[in-house]
Amino acid sequence: MRKMAPFGRRMEHSPGFERLVADVKPRIRELSVMEVRDRLQKNSDFVLLDVREQDEWAVGRIPGAVYLGRGVLERDIEAQIPDAKREIALYCGGGYRSALAADNLQKMGYTNVFSMAGGIRAWRAAGLPEERP
């Protein structure tokens, strides 16, 4: 049984998961952490969704982000963001889960969806602000 890595440390992903993410990457668009920061500052209609687990959200989050966990994203997205043309960026820990989520939202008809490359680890590495409890 694989142990979970503590927050802030990269987990080793299974080969099957790595293949799954590699399969969706060509179908999605990514934004860098700096592009996300700029959009948050300049575009009041831009939505940044944190799709991590609730315990990850509780430890720290990007200021201005909205929580909609990966487990309920597809079920709840249309109620939260009914405009399928709205600009949405998703982030997770390292950019893997958000890539999968972006692909699913596109399949649901969302046309302006991005995954934040590198996830919150890249945000933290860039020294960008974070909200903590």
Side-chain angles (χ1 to χ4, degrees), residues 27-29 101-111 113:
R27 294 194 300 263
I28 66 160
R29 296 176 292 166
D103 188 52
N104 278 347
L105 291 187
Q106 288 177 163
K107 289 175 184 174
M108 292 176 69
Y110 284 81
T111 58
V113 179

Side-chain angles (χ1 to χ4, degrees), residues 30-41 46 123:
E30 291 185 301
L31 294 173
S32 71
V33 294
M34 296 307 181
E35 289 171 315
V36 168
R37 180 204 60 192
D38 292 347
R39 280 181 164 90
L40 280 169
Q41 291 174 348
F46 176 75
W123 183 272

Side-chain angles (χ1 to χ4, degrees), residues 47-63:
V47 179
L48 180 60
L49 285 181
D50 186 323
V51 298
R52 298 175 299 152
E53 297 294 324
Q54 196 158 12
D55 58 346
E56 294 173 284
W57 166 264
V59 171
R61 65 193 73 81
I62 296 173

Side-chain angles (χ1 to χ4, degrees), residues 27 42 66 71 93 109 113 119-120:
R27 294 194 300 263
K42 296 176 185 172
V66 175
V113 179
I120 198 164

